[in-house]
Each structure stands twice: as C-alpha cells, then as structure tokens.
Amino acid sequence: MSFFCLECFPKTEGAELERKLRANDREYNRSFKYATNAIKTSKYNFFTFLPLNLFEQFQRIANAYFLVLLVLQIIPQISSLSWFTTVVPLVLVLTVTTAKDATDDINRHRSDNRVNNRKVQVLIDRKLRSEKWMDIQVGDIIKLENNQFVTADLLLLSSSEPLNLVYIETAELDGETNLKVKQALPVTGDLGDDIEKLADFNGEVRCEPPNNRLDRFIGTLTYAGQKYPLDNEKILLRGCTLRNTEWCYGLVLFAGQESKLMQNCGKSTFKRTSIDRLMNVLVLCIFGFLLFMCTILAIGNYIWEIKNGSNFTVFLPRENDNKEGFSAFLTFWSYIIILNTVVPISLYVSVEIIRLGNSFYIDWDRKMYHSRSDTPAEARTTTLNEELGQIKYVFSDKTGTLTQNIMIFNKCSINGKSYGDVYDYTGQRHDVSEHRDPVDFSFNPLADARFIFYDHSLVEAVKLENPEVHTFFRLLALCHTVMAEEKKEGELFYQAQSPDEGALVTAARNFGFVFRSRTPDSITIMEMGNQRSYELLAILDFNNVRKRMSVIVRSPEGKLSLLCKGADTIIYERLHQSCSKLMDVTTEHLNEFAGEGLRTLALAYKDLDEEYFRQWKQRHHEASISLDDKESQLDDLYEEIEKDLLLLGATAIEDKLQDGVPQTIEQLAKADIKIWVLTGDKQETAENIGYSCNLLREEMNDVFIISGHSPEDVRQELRNAQNSMKPDATANSLLFPEEMGKSVNLIKDEVADGEYGLVINGHSLAYALESSMELDFLRTACLCKAVICCRVTPLQKAQVVELVKKYKKAVTLAIGDGANDVSMIKAAHIGVGISGQEGMQAVLSSDYSFAQFRFLQRLLLVHGRWSYLRMCKFLRYFFYKNFTFTFVHIWFAFFCGFSAQTVYDEGFITLYNLMYTALPVLGMSLFDQDVNDVWSFQHPQLYIPGQLNLYFSKKAFFKCAVHSCYSSLVLFLIPYGALHDTVREDGRDLADYQSFALLTQTCLLFAVTIQLGLEMSYWTAVNTFFVLGSLAMYFAVTFAMYSNGMFLVVPSAFPFIGTARNSLNQPNVWLTILLTSILCVLPVVTYRFLLIQLCPTINDKVMFKVRQARATPPPPPRRARIRRTSSRRSGYAFSHAQGYGDLVTSGRFLRRPAVSRSSGFPQVGRTTTGFSPMGRSAGYSPTGRPQNSKVPDVEVTALQMYRTITDPPL
C-alpha cells in the first residue's frame, strides 16, 4: 500500500531500504550515516533567517510591488513624490513581521534545546554515563528509569519487572493514557542490569527503514549465532513515558528525526489566509489595470504633444530637445507613481494593525478564560484572525479535547432498582448538578476520596447487607484485569488497561468491596471490612466478537461461581428464562442510561457444578494446547459455559465530556460547520463519545461503518454508502475520475437525501487515502453530517486534513491537545491547541490556544466572524476610497494635456491615507460589529456568509471598482462644472486650479466619510471621535498649510496661499460639496434599500430583530441536560485489548510483592463493623452534585487518578 511507504520527510536517491546496526559499536553504525538524536522543529537559523524570512514576505505580491515602486521613485526624471514616502512604511511592515517571526522561531529553538539537552544514562566504554539526548547514537544501549520519557525508538533488552515486562504510557503518540505492556526477548532479558553483560552484548539488528507506522515493526535480532524475530511488542517509541517500572535497558534503533514520533510530525509551513491569497490575485489585476491606464495616458500624452505641444515650446522648451516619444515614455512612469495609490502601502500597515487589535480581543476575552487551570485564550499568531470567520471543516481529536480522560461510575441498576438519581421528600427527581452534598464514604477507610456519588440509598442498601447489592459489587471487585499497588499501608492505587475497568473497580472499592491484590491463581478483596481470598480458576477473556469477559472463582466457603459482564445484547442472549421479568425492568433502565449518553454494561452470574467444571476445565486445557483451530474450540467452550446466567443488573459509566461539548457541537452544526473526529482510540469508544456529544444522533438515517480489510472491501463499502445517500447520483463522473480519464481539482458540495454519519477504522482509512480511492472516500465523507476516524496515526490525521484542503474549496481548522495532534494542527489552515493533560506540544505548534473545547464556538462565531466582517468591510471601503481618490487623476489627465499633473495639493496627497482617512477606517475595523455576541450565539447562521466568501470576493471587488469609478466621475465633473465660468460674490474669478483642487479634495473627503458612516453598523464614542476628529483635522491642517505664515517660511512647499479662506467662504462652494456628497451616496442608499426590501440577507433579518428588541436580549434559558429517548445502548464499555486475561493468569503481569497490610477497616465485631448509624436520619440529606467551580479540590475517579499513581512526590 502506498500509504505505508509515505514518509513525512522526503527521501534522497540513496533511500534506506533496510536498517542494519550492531549494539555497542559506534564505529560500525557511523558508517551508515544514521541521524543523531537531535531534533529540529525551528524554521530558521542565524544565517538563514533574514534571507528566508524576506523571501517569504516578498511572496506577498504587494511587498514586491512596493519595492519596484521604490526603485522608480529614486529616479528624479519621472518621480513627482519623494522616495521616503514609500520606503518608510515598507520597512516598517517588513520589520514588524520579521520581529514577530523571529520571536516565534526563538521559542521553537528554546523548546528544541530543552528536549535536546535532557540527560539520560548511556553505556559507553563499559560504564553508564550521563549524556545529552542529542548525543545519543543508533546502536547505543541506554538506561531508562521510572517516569522518564523514552529517549529514542528502542529495542527493549531487559527490565526490573518479572519476565522483563515494562509499562508505558503512549499519550503523546496516540492520545491514549491507558498503560500498555511491552516485553523483552528472554535471551536479552537474561542480561538484566549487569553492566558487564550489557557491555559485552553485540547483537545485530536488521529491520525496516525509518517510517511513520506506529502500530507495526518488523525486524530480526542476531545474537550468539541465533536469529530472533522482533515485532512491535518489543519496541519502545520516542514520546512514550515509562511507568511503574523501576528501570529498563534499551538499544537505540531510530534516533532524532528518524524516530516514528518525528516521522509523524508535519513540517511547519507559512500559513496565509484566503483573503491574503485573494489579495495577491487582486493586486496583480490592479497592477495590470495600472499598466494599461498608464499606457493609455502615455499614448494620450504622445498624441497631445504632436497636436498641441508645439504651441507651447516657445515658452516651455523641452529639456535636451527631447521628442514626443520620450515625453510619452517619461509620462508613463510618472503616472505609475501618481496612480500607485490604488494599492497604497498603508493598506498593509492597516491590515497588520487590525489583525493585531483583533488578536488582543481574543487574548483579553474573559469569557474564554479558564479559571480552574488559570489559562487564558491566546492568539499565538496575528495573521489568521479573519480566517476564523470562514471555517467549514473542524478536525478534532477526541481524548483530552472532547473528553476529560475521566470515567465516572454514574448510575447502576441492581435487581430491578435504579440507583444514581436523587429524589426529594416529595418524590420529585432532581438533577444531581443542583445538589451539594455527595455520599459520605468516611465509614470506609480504604475508600477513594476522589470518588463522588450522590444517591444515598445505594450506600444504605450496602450497609443493610442487601444480598443482590453485595453480589453486584462483589462481581465488580472480582471480574476484571486491574492490577493493585499498595506502596503504603491503606493507600491503594489501581492500574487499569481500560479506564472503564478502573472506574468500576473503584466504585466497588468505595461501596465496601475493595480489590487488594492478585496472584495468577487468586484474588484478594475486602468485603465490608473482612478480608477474603477467592481462588481464580479461569479468565474467559474479552475480545471484539465476544464483547464480554468472565471469571470463574471459588469462594473461601468452596462455592464455585462464574461472574460475567459485557454488552447487554450479548448478556441477554445467555440469560436463564427465569430472568425475563427482571430483563424487562433492567432494559428500561438501560434505555434511560443510554438516553443520557452513558456507557452501559450488563452483569450476570451462575453457580457451577464441581463435576461439570472439572470436565470443562479438562476440555479447556486440551483446546488451549491444540494446534488446529484453537480459537474456534475455545469460543465453543466459552459459549457452552456462559449460558443460563442469572441477571444481576447493569452499570452506567459516563465518559466525562469537557464542559459544554454537546452544546458547542450543536452550535457549530447550526453554523454549517462540519466536524470530523480523528482519534487513535477504539471504534466502540469513539462511537460512544460521538453519541454522547451529539455528533452522532439517533435521528440520523444511518451511520455507516467502514471496516474493510482490503482495498476492494473498502471501495465497495464506500460505494454502498454513496448509493444509500444519493441513489440518483451513482453515475456521477466525479466519483470515479480514474475510470473516466479525467483529473479532478475540486469536488463540489453535495446534499444527501437525509442525515448520515460515517465511522471508519484506521486500517480501512489507509486504503481510503490511497490516490485511487481518496475521491471516493472524500465524497462519501462530505455527504455525511459527521465523520469519525478511529485508530488513526498522527500522520493519517494530517493526510485527512490535506485531502480536504486539496479537493474542497473550504477553510479547515484542526484542534487537539497532544503531540499526536501536532501534524494535523500544522496541516490545517488554522491550528488550535488545547492546554490539557497531554503536555504542551499541541499548544506550541498551534495558531490559537485555550483550555476548553467549548471556547471554540466563541472563537469562531464571535471573534472569527467579527474579524472576518471587519476585515472585509475594511478592504471594501479602503479600495473604494483609494480608487475614488486615484481615478480623479485619470479624468483630470484629459484636461491637463496628459502632463502627469496631480489634481490635489501635494500635501493632501501625502496626508490623505496617513491622517485624514486612516483613523476612521481603523476605528470601524477594530470596533464594528453587526450584532453583539449574544445575538451571534442565538443566530449561528450568521456565520454562513463567511464560508461562502460573500463579504469580500472578486465580485465584491468589481462592484467596489464600479462604485469608485462613478464616484470619481461625480467628484471631478460636478466641481469642474460648478467652477466653470464662475465668479465670487465680489466679482473676482474663482475658477483657478488651486480653488478647483481644494474643492475637489474637500468633496472627496466628505463623500468617503459619509460612505464610511453607511458602512458602520456599531457607533462608539471612539468611532465618532475618529470621524469628526479627522474632518476637523483636515480643515485645521488645510487652513494652516494655506496660510500666509507657512508660505513665508517655505514658499515652494506651500504655494496654495490664501486658497482655503478665499474658497470656503463662498456659499456656492458649500452647495457644490453638498450636491457632490449626495450624488455619491445616493446610488448606494437606493441599492441597499431595495436589497433589504426585496432580498434581505441573514444579517439584515437579524439586525432588524435587534432593532425591534431595542435592548440587549435576556440571556437564553438554561439548557436542560440533553437526553436521548432512543433505545440505542453503547455496545460495550471496555476499551482494553484482547489478551490481558492470559497475562493475568500467567503471572507475567504481576508486580513485585506489596507491603504487608491489615484490612484497613476497624477491627470490630460483625454487628459493629463501623457502618452505623444507618438510614437517611443519620445526617444524610438528598442533595446533589456541586458545580466544578464549587469543589475545586475534588476530582472524580478515573484515568486522571491512575496517572497520578505512578508520580510520587520527588
């Protein structure tokens, strides 16, 4: 498969086909020139920074255009403007951008240095030496200790644990925080920690070359004349963390950039917004138009010189006797400089200021501040803000992004009674979030203080020794593969491969059935203060087909029992017929639990006959050692014994979502944003979370599962899904371009006949991403409302994002919290990092960061939409005012002999963009908003125009140019006609060039200011001050520059002496200004009025609602907890892998002996076991769950608890 060969870093001609290395032989390994262990995520170094950064900046065509313009302005024969008017703002823009990029890259260098300078013990010259990570080489043997990061990709040689096992956490690689087990080869395990033996080890490894596959490794070890196969179970990957293992030794196979973690990291790219890319195209068009107009005007000058120029040569002789052609040539370049204001450098200065201001709004937003972790939102880049208002696809990680990595034992059903809800004295059920006091577990010295439960009736049933309740929790304490660790007396820590298992065992622990320890053939638990040891006779292990696990145990009294837990549909098929009534009641409870998005399990048991079990055990042993069809024989035996079970009840576990995730996804869906979840987790887990967070819904017509194990299977499943969603479009040529001999550059949006979801596994996705099938996959996925990709590698995440970018004209956003999300974050147009439990790698690679997924809706629907709206308004208005300003020169050229004379005073030309119109448009671009944030949330459809580029596009730009052309004609012809043959009140002539220039520029300023007022939706005191202040500034500066005093100081610079006071005191001048302003804005007002009346946009409708409300609307009513009424139950709450039962019973999984311990419960008689007083009268009240902010120090039991187990204080 082509995917398996895909690498993050391109290979050279001498691509490595096989890796060969020898342990403890640096000279031999150096001959292959393998990479060192140093990593580099920065973009520049000291020598390449300036040239590379400037090269990136001059990719912006406008910067290159201004550089050319600067060169032209240095030539005195053609320049009528000083060179510093261009060089100063250009250098300013380049300097600010360079400083920002330098700061970002310095941070990357610091991060690299922190990693590269970490210390690890390396075996060199028969001694362990502390070396920096970056000095590690392939073939070195290194020693890792508990809680250390794995330095490089290693072959595990030996460890401190029995049978050379190690426990690792892979959160940085695949987002999973469940502990995984690796085991060394017995031949290397015998080396132990004997330095001499390790130093003498000279094994040779031949293995696959560096690649990005996290789930596969193929190689062989040759040692002492024998060959040993190597697979992924013997490899420790860089990015993992060693847990619960005192020490281990490993042989470096891949180092630095060749490690699988780095092979999965995408390269940093220079991100530009779609508006930036559009601006590049528009600037090219404007430049082409500029060349065309300058050519026309130069030709006009040539014709005029031939026809009329000779009449003036008597008193205006040509320099050096130049001919008409040379005059036209100089005129061409003169007009290039004069007309350059169509794209002034101030445009880009203003754009950077606007982006910086909108970035500060994100940084300062208190509603995106997470007080619990003291984490504010941060705009880590200032150049992408408006892109946040155009997002069409969101690619999200699951673990740590949508969820908190916390499993909560939420509710249960025991013998037909449901526990977990809280009722008041009237029998009314309350939402537990409205209550304050949880169950007090102080009666149990071994209880986990972080476990919270609110239904007091369950603990009362335990204290009253209800037999069904006791059996229920006894089953939870015995039927599992959890490992217990007790470093101090009474301090129990559980290590579970699945957080679900950990939550169930912890629940049993708190209700008085405490799992203490296990051996290969026994399980010791505390039952209500009494220690009891059960003989473990068999574990019938979990797999994806069985969807259940069972244990067969013998109690201290000699009673033989089978205890089973699993998916309710599977358990129900195996129940005794006497359980039918209990099944009906339990099913109702299961439906209720599933409606709340909880993950359910059914519990059952049966007592076994000794003789029958003896025979069954014998047959089980024979099947276990069978070489033919072993799995099938074992399955048949399991089916035989797991029948006629007696139902006990069901558990409901909440895979704790982050606050507000379902509401956020619902809001984003209303804004027509499609959310794809890309996770390394199992399909069952990801699907459950999809339902919990409203990504998948029961109302959907269908949810397609793509799980084929061959290209043909995957292709057929995709096509079947397409046929279901669009039966009438199966012959679409876009679907099978390879068959039609066509290449496809873009896939258009299509609408399915209904709502659908898609779930695809990692192995199927590998086929789907191949070039021959990627269009099938993309079209199928885009027809669905929600897409979930399970068991995906970090690089696959990036490939999915790149696929959408390649074939969809849409803006993408990727959000994640771990190192496994970095490549996806870098690949998307916008990368968002969540500062969560999996480190800061995602944040360091992101463009924006915050603490909770729910802040994404505010980032997009409020800040993103406002930023996009403001930027589009700014660009439309900026082009309008500058086109209008510049086009007047073109009309004037026909009246001045095409002499490149300017219409306006040179001072006005200099200050027009710098002073007179700069602040008003900046005020609009920083403060304007069509509606406030509350209305934005109530009407998420306001976001859709941004996705469709309705506010600024080539069409909008063309409209702006036409409007400017009309306005410039009005601004030239009305003042020209008004002053033609006109005299002052005293009879003196008014129609001179200086009076015309003053009148035209005054009309221009009023016209563009009124147009700005029409564009503005939200007037503030600052906006009003900027607008009125700029007009006042214009008159103040004009009267000052045209005064006698300035003329006397520098006569050549201020020739317009007295023009202002002589012209602006005439009534006909002010009438002309009024008439011109009205004629300029009249078409705009008419067009907008008709548009709102005949074809109102979503913005017009919402703004009309706002005006009707005449006040800020009240906050929306508090949302009730979303409850699904369907009967769909999350199929199975386990997320652990097959095969753990074998490890448990073999003893290979076991820790070293724990400390000796007492029961931990008060040593009292049976009747006074410390469980009194009983009943609700004993100080209990039916109160409920507190809000997180009210109980900051209490965390519920789940994976977070398990992670703290192995991190003892230093």
Side-chain angles (χ1 to χ4, degrees):
M1 294 178 289
S2 60
F3 167 73
F4 293 158
C5 303
L6 233 155
E7 304 248 350
C8 196
F9 300 96
K11 289 290 184 183
T12 58
E13 291 182 2
E16 185 180 346
L17 300 177
E18 183 185 51
R19 172 142 300 197
K20 303 175 185 177
L21 61 100
R22 184 181 299 154
N24 293 314
D25 193 340
R26 284 193 168 187
E27 290 301 321
Y28 173 79
N29 298 325
R30 280 198 191 107
S31 65
F32 297 102
K33 298 181 179 178
Y34 296 140
T36 65
N37 203 41
I39 63 165
K40 175 179 175 290
T41 60
S42 56
K43 293 167 63 176
Y44 317 104
N45 59 37
F46 182 79
F47 299 102
T48 63
F49 172 71
L50 201 57
L52 279 180
N53 188 262
L54 290 177
F55 173 75
E56 286 179 349
Q57 291 201 59
F58 281 111
Q59 286 182 358
R60 182 180 282 174
I61 294 174
N63 287 345
Y65 164 66
F66 292 123
L67 185 64
V68 173
L69 196 65
L70 176 62
V71 174
L72 292 177
Q73 285 186 299
I74 297 174
I75 305 172
Q77 285 82 358
I78 62 174
S79 178
S80 57
L81 297 173
S82 302
W83 60 270
F84 63 82
T85 58
T86 298
V87 73
V88 171
L90 178 61
V91 169
L92 178 64
V93 170
L94 295 177
T95 302
V96 169
T97 307
T98 301
K100 180 179 66 67
D101 291 343
T103 303
D104 291 344
D105 210 56
I106 287 171
N107 289 334
R108 293 191 195 99
H109 274 285
R110 287 174 178 167
S111 176
D112 290 346
N113 289 336
R114 279 196 298 270
V115 174
N116 289 332
N117 289 308
R118 287 174 179 166
K119 294 296 184 71
V120 69
Q121 295 185 73
V122 188
L123 186 59
I124 301 177
D125 297 334
R126 313 185 78 84
K127 293 182 180 178
L128 281 176
R129 296 182 181 177
S130 181
E131 295 284 336
K132 294 179 179 178
W133 275 29
M134 62 181 177
D135 296 328
I136 303 301
Q137 298 181 21
V138 171
D140 286 350
I141 292 178
I142 64 175
K143 179 182 180 181
L144 297 177
E145 296 180 343
N146 194 31
N147 297 327
Q148 276 190 337
F149 288 106
V150 177
T151 310
D153 290 355
L154 307 176
L155 169 63
L156 179 62
L157 297 179
S158 61
S159 84
S160 59
E161 301 305 296
L163 289 136
N164 298 296
L165 294 168
V166 297
Y167 306 92
I168 59 169
E169 184 182 274
T170 60
E172 299 291 358
L173 288 175
D174 56 18
E176 290 190 7
T177 48
N178 309 330
L179 293 187
K180 295 180 175 59
V181 180
K182 303 285 184 177
Q183 185 177 23
L185 287 168
V187 66
T188 61
D190 293 341
L191 301 174
D193 59 349
D194 189 323
I195 300 299
E196 292 301 321
K197 287 183 180 180
L198 288 165
D200 291 333
F201 179 68
N202 61 351
E204 292 189 11
V205 174
R206 296 168 70 95
C207 64
E208 61 187 25
N211 62 74
N212 49 56
R213 289 299 304 270
L214 298 175
D215 59 346
R216 186 187 71 170
F217 181 84
I218 300 174
T220 59
L221 169 67
T222 303
Y223 178 56
Q226 297 290 323
K227 274 191 176 183
Y228 304 91
L230 302 177
D231 56 27
N232 207 42
E233 297 306 309
K234 299 169 182 62
I235 305 301
L236 306 182
L237 299 181
R238 178 175 182 143
C240 300
T241 307
L242 194 66
R243 298 293 192 198
N244 299 340
T245 307
E246 189 177 339
W247 53 260
C248 74
Y249 286 87
L251 173 66
V252 178
L253 302 180
F254 304 114
Q257 300 292 147
E258 293 178 342
S259 64
K260 290 184 183 269
L261 174 66
M262 297 306 295
Q263 292 280 301
N264 273 285
C265 287
K267 285 189 175 181
S268 297
T269 56
F270 180 63
K271 292 185 178 182
R272 290 183 296 170
T273 67
S274 56
I275 284 184
D276 274 338
R277 293 188 290 272
L278 176 60
M279 285 286 293
N280 272 352
V281 175
L282 294 180
V283 167
L284 280 175
C285 295
I286 292 169
F287 188 60
F289 173 76
L290 181 63
L291 292 176
F292 173 74
M293 288 308 303
C294 290
T295 302
I296 297 296
L297 295 176
I299 293 171
N301 176 265
Y302 178 77
I303 295 171
W304 188 89
E305 286 287 349
I306 292 176
K307 289 188 174 181
N308 302 315
S310 58
N311 300 332
F312 296 90
T313 53
V314 177
F315 57 91
L316 285 175
R318 295 191 178 99
E319 293 184 11
N320 302 323
D321 215 15
N322 292 329
K323 301 297 182 182
E324 293 84 356
F326 187 72
S327 173
F329 174 76
L330 293 180
T331 300
F332 173 83
W333 293 109
S334 296
Y335 272 115
I336 286 286
I337 295 173
I338 289 174
L339 301 181
N340 82 81
T341 48
V342 285
V343 186
I345 189 69
S346 59
L347 170 65
Y348 289 94
V349 177
S350 301
V351 164
E352 293 302 322
I353 293 173
I354 293 166
R355 286 172 170 168
L356 184 64
N358 286 318
S359 297
F360 281 138
Y361 289 152
I362 295 173
D363 294 343
W364 296 339
D365 192 343
R366 291 186 178 182
K367 294 181 180 178
M368 294 175 68
Y369 169 73
H370 191 239
S371 57
R372 201 170 176 189
S373 61
D374 190 28
T375 306
E378 181 182 5
R380 297 175 55 81
T381 180
T382 61
T383 58
L384 303 173
N385 295 331
E386 63 271 16
E387 197 94 311
L388 292 170
Q390 298 179 276
I391 301 299
K392 181 66 175 179
Y393 290 89
V394 170
F395 301 92
S396 174
D397 179 39
K398 181 191 76 70
T399 309
T401 303
L402 300 179
T403 65
Q404 299 183 29
N405 283 351
I406 294 173
M407 297 290 180
I408 301 174
F409 181 84
N410 198 297
K411 296 181 180 181
C412 62
S413 171
I414 305 175
N415 196 33
K417 182 175 181 182
S418 177
Y419 297 93
D421 289 316
V422 178
Y423 298 86
D424 61 16
Y425 63 94
T426 65
Q428 183 71 29
R429 185 170 68 177
H430 283 204
D431 189 339
V432 292
S433 62
E434 299 173 1
H435 295 74
R436 293 179 295 278
D437 297 331
V439 171
D440 180 10
F441 290 106
S442 59
F443 66 84
N444 182 354
L446 294 176
D448 186 337
R450 289 164 291 193
F451 179 85
I452 300 176
F453 200 76
Y454 294 90
D455 187 355
H456 296 265
S457 63
L458 182 55
V459 75
E460 290 172 10
V462 171
K463 293 177 181 179
L464 292 171
E465 301 185 9
N466 182 304
E468 289 82 8
V469 172
H470 277 212
T471 306
F472 180 91
F473 285 115
R474 184 180 296 114
L475 187 151
L476 292 182
L478 292 172
C479 184
H480 56 77
T481 57
V482 174
M483 306 303 298
E485 185 175 10
E486 191 167 0
K487 293 184 178 179
K488 293 182 181 179
E489 174 68 22
E491 289 189 11
L492 269 175
F493 300 108
Y494 292 150
Q495 290 294 349
Q497 193 207 6
S498 147
D500 311 70
E501 288 241 271
L504 293 173
V505 175
T506 301
R509 168 185 176 179
N510 273 58
F511 284 101
F513 290 76
V514 185
F515 167 59
R516 294 295 293 267
S517 65
R518 76 186 319 142
T519 68
D521 54 8
S522 70
I523 298 178
T524 301
I525 66 174
M526 301 294 301
E527 292 187 9
M528 309 300 286
N530 299 316
Q531 181 165 308
R532 292 165 61 85
S533 183
Y534 288 79
E535 184 181 357
L536 180 61
L537 300 173
I539 292 183
L540 284 58
D541 203 7
F542 160 87
N543 65 36
N544 285 325
V545 177
R546 285 171 41 76
K547 293 190 177 180
R548 64 190 184 278
M549 77 164 288
S550 301
V551 295
I552 300 175
V553 296
R554 180 178 281 112
S555 70
E557 293 80 18
K559 185 178 179 181
L560 198 62
S561 302
L562 180 144
L563 310 177
C564 181
K565 65 181 180 183
D568 52 271
T569 53
I570 302 296
I571 299 294
Y572 277 16
E573 294 171 357
R574 291 157 178 80
L575 292 179
H576 191 274
Q577 59 185 7
S578 63
C579 299
S580 56
K581 187 174 181 180
L582 180 57
M583 279 174 55
D584 294 338
V585 179
T586 306
T587 300
E588 291 182 13
H589 295 159
L590 283 168
N591 290 342
E592 182 181 345
F593 299 158
E596 298 175 10
L598 304 178
R599 304 171 66 174
T600 57
L601 279 177
L603 276 58
Y605 75 100
K606 69 180 289 188
D607 294 330
L608 297 176
D609 177 71
E610 285 283 354
E611 180 59 28
Y612 167 74
F613 175 71
R614 187 185 61 77
Q615 296 175 3
W616 182 91
K617 185 70 173 177
Q618 178 61 34
R619 287 183 286 142
H620 180 270
H621 175 72
E622 293 171 357
S624 300
I625 60 176
S626 173
L627 298 178
D628 298 327
D629 207 12
K630 170 184 171 181
E631 296 298 329
S632 177
Q633 293 184 48
L634 288 175
D635 285 341
D636 291 342
L637 284 169
Y638 292 167
E639 286 287 340
E640 176 189 324
I641 200 169
E642 290 175 326
K643 65 181 180 181
D644 293 332
L645 303 177
L646 299 177
L647 182 62
L648 263 177
T651 62
I653 293 177
E654 181 181 359
D655 189 353
K656 186 73 172 175
L657 293 172
Q658 288 195 8
D659 295 338
V661 167
Q663 292 79 12
T664 299
I665 289 177
E666 183 182 354
Q667 283 285 86
L668 297 180
K670 288 179 181 177
D672 201 26
I673 296 173
K674 294 190 176 182
I675 300 178
W676 294 20
V677 174
L678 312 179
T679 176
D681 219 332
K682 291 182 179 293
Q683 177 185 322
E684 294 88 348
T685 309
E687 200 175 339
N688 288 334
I689 290 298
Y691 280 99
S692 298
C693 66
N694 278 356
L695 191 63
L696 300 176
R697 297 189 305 279
E698 292 299 332
E699 296 77 21
M700 286 183 169
N701 298 62
D702 200 357
V703 176
F704 303 107
I705 308 294
I706 309 297
S707 56
H709 286 81
S710 69
E712 293 74 21
D713 292 344
V714 173
R715 187 187 298 275
Q716 190 58 48
E717 288 176 355
L718 290 172
R719 292 184 177 181
N720 290 341
Q722 291 161 3
N723 294 343
S724 300
M725 291 185 283
K726 286 188 74 70
D728 56 339
T730 55
N732 194 315
S733 61
L734 280 182
L735 184 53
F736 315 119
E738 68 277 6
E739 299 171 5
M740 306 296 293
K742 298 179 181 179
S743 61
V744 178
N745 295 322
L746 194 67
I747 293 181
K748 295 181 180 179
D749 288 334
E750 299 177 272
V751 180
D753 301 333
E755 289 192 2
Y756 297 89
L758 179 72
V759 179
I760 183 168
N761 276 316
H763 54 80
S764 302
L765 184 63
Y767 297 112
L769 290 174
E770 290 182 352
S771 58
S772 62
M773 211 186 304
E774 60 183 12
L775 288 174
D776 279 9
F777 167 64
L778 182 60
R779 183 169 182 260
T780 306
C782 290
L783 283 169
C784 297
K785 287 287 185 182
V787 178
I788 298 178
C789 301
C790 321
R791 280 300 186 204
V792 295
T793 66
L795 190 64
Q796 279 180 318
K797 292 184 178 184
Q799 287 177 315
V800 172
V801 175
E802 292 288 0
L803 181 64
V804 174
K805 286 173 63 179
K806 181 179 179 182
Y807 291 112
K808 300 293 289 184
K809 190 178 179 182
V811 182
T812 60
L813 179 146
I815 179 169
D817 70 324
N820 58 315
D821 304 314
V822 168
S823 56
M824 172 177 73
I825 286 171
K826 288 180 177 179
H829 293 103
I830 301 285
V832 177
I834 289 185
S835 49
Q837 299 180 20
E838 295 183 22
M840 296 293 288
Q841 285 82 353
V843 170
L844 293 174
S845 302
S846 66
D847 305 304
Y848 300 87
S849 68
F850 40 71
Q852 295 272 294
F853 180 83
R854 60 190 166 94
F855 296 144
L856 182 63
Q857 64 173 322
R858 187 166 183 85
L859 183 71
L860 300 185
L861 302 185
V862 178
H863 292 288
R865 198 179 69 81
W866 281 350
S867 295
Y868 173 70
L869 184 67
R870 290 163 180 166
M871 184 60 72
C872 292
K873 280 190 174 185
F874 165 79
L875 291 173
R876 290 200 309 262
Y877 175 73
F878 205 95
F879 280 124
Y880 166 75
K881 76 181 183 68
N882 278 79
F883 282 5
T884 305
F885 173 86
T886 306
F887 286 175
V888 176
H889 285 296
I890 297 175
W891 313 132
F892 183 61
F894 291 90
F895 293 82
C896 69
F898 305 96
S899 61
Q901 182 181 7
T902 59
V903 181
Y904 319 109
D905 170 27
E906 186 173 331
F908 180 81
I909 294 174
T910 304
L911 297 177
Y912 177 71
N913 282 308
L914 184 65
M915 183 180 294
Y916 301 149
T917 60
L919 288 180
V921 69
L922 279 179
M924 178 186 71
S925 307
L926 290 174
F927 302 111
D928 195 46
Q929 49 182 260
D930 52 353
V931 295
N932 62 24
D933 56 345
V934 176
W935 284 100
S936 296
F937 284 133
Q938 288 190 353
H939 298 277
Q941 299 86 356
L942 287 168
Y943 190 83
I944 296 175
Q947 298 170 334
L948 304 176
N949 293 310
L950 296 183
Y951 293 148
F952 188 73
S953 59
K954 293 175 184 176
K955 181 179 178 182
F957 174 78
F958 178 74
K959 286 181 180 178
C960 173
V962 171
H963 182 203
S964 298
C965 185
Y966 164 79
S967 297
S968 63
L969 273 171
V970 171
L971 287 167
F972 175 76
L973 294 177
I974 299 297
Y976 181 84
L979 292 183
H980 186 65
D981 294 334
T982 301
V983 294
R984 291 161 47 87
E985 289 181 341
D986 55 7
R988 296 181 182 179
D989 191 8
L990 183 62
D992 60 274
Y993 162 72
Q994 293 184 345
S995 298
F996 172 73
L998 175 66
L999 177 57
T1000 305
Q1001 64 197 35
T1002 305
C1003 290
L1004 169 69
L1005 196 61
F1006 271 94
V1008 299
T1009 302
I1010 294 172
Q1011 180 65 35
L1012 178 74
L1014 292 175
E1015 293 286 346
M1016 202 121 54
S1017 303
Y1018 185 64
W1019 284 85
T1020 66
V1022 177
N1023 293 68
T1024 306
F1025 175 76
F1026 282 170
V1027 170
L1028 299 180
S1030 294
L1031 287 174
M1033 182 65 70
Y1034 165 71
F1035 286 109
V1037 172
T1038 299
F1039 277 100
M1041 290 175 62
Y1042 296 176
S1043 65
N1044 296 350
M1046 297 300 291
F1047 176 78
L1048 294 175
V1049 175
V1050 189
S1052 60
F1054 302 101
F1056 281 50
I1057 178 173
T1059 304
R1061 63 175 180 268
N1062 289 332
S1063 297
L1064 295 178
N1065 63 358
Q1066 299 300 309
N1068 58 345
V1069 169
W1070 287 103
L1071 181 61
T1072 303
I1073 293 172
L1074 178 63
L1075 178 62
T1076 306
S1077 301
I1078 291 174
L1079 287 176
C1080 281
V1081 300
L1082 186 60
V1084 179
V1085 174
T1086 305
Y1087 173 76
R1088 292 188 181 180
F1089 174 78
L1090 293 175
L1091 194 67
I1092 291 174
Q1093 296 300 316
L1094 302 177
C1095 187
T1097 63
I1098 179 67
N1099 293 66
D1100 298 328
K1101 294 175 182 176
V1102 175
M1103 290 175 71
F1104 178 71
K1105 279 187 177 181
V1106 174
R1107 286 192 293 271
Q1108 281 187 320
R1110 294 189 178 182
T1112 304
R1118 185 175 180 180
R1119 296 178 60 94
R1121 181 166 180 170
I1122 298 174
R1123 301 175 68 93
R1124 298 199 308 275
T1125 57
S1126 74
S1127 61
R1128 181 199 175 276
R1129 295 188 284 279
S1130 47
Y1132 196 66
F1134 288 171
S1135 61
H1136 62 70
Q1138 180 180 359
Y1140 245 51
D1142 292 338
L1143 270 176
V1144 170
T1145 53
S1146 70
R1148 292 185 294 160
F1149 193 83
L1150 302 178
R1151 309 279 305 161
R1152 296 189 181 278
V1155 296
S1156 60
R1157 54 189 176 269
S1158 64
S1159 69
F1161 282 78
Q1163 299 299 314
V1164 290
R1166 179 69 173 165
T1167 56
T1168 56
T1169 55
F1171 291 96
S1172 58
M1174 294 188 238
R1176 292 184 184 272
S1177 60
Y1180 294 117
S1181 62
T1183 54
R1185 187 191 306 266
Q1187 298 289 344
N1188 288 338
S1189 58
K1190 296 179 183 177
V1191 193
D1193 298 323
V1194 178
E1195 292 289 333
V1196 290
T1197 301
L1199 190 57
Q1200 193 174 39
M1201 158 194 159
Y1202 305 134
R1203 295 186 66 173
T1204 56
I1205 291 168
T1206 56
D1207 297 327
L1210 297 176

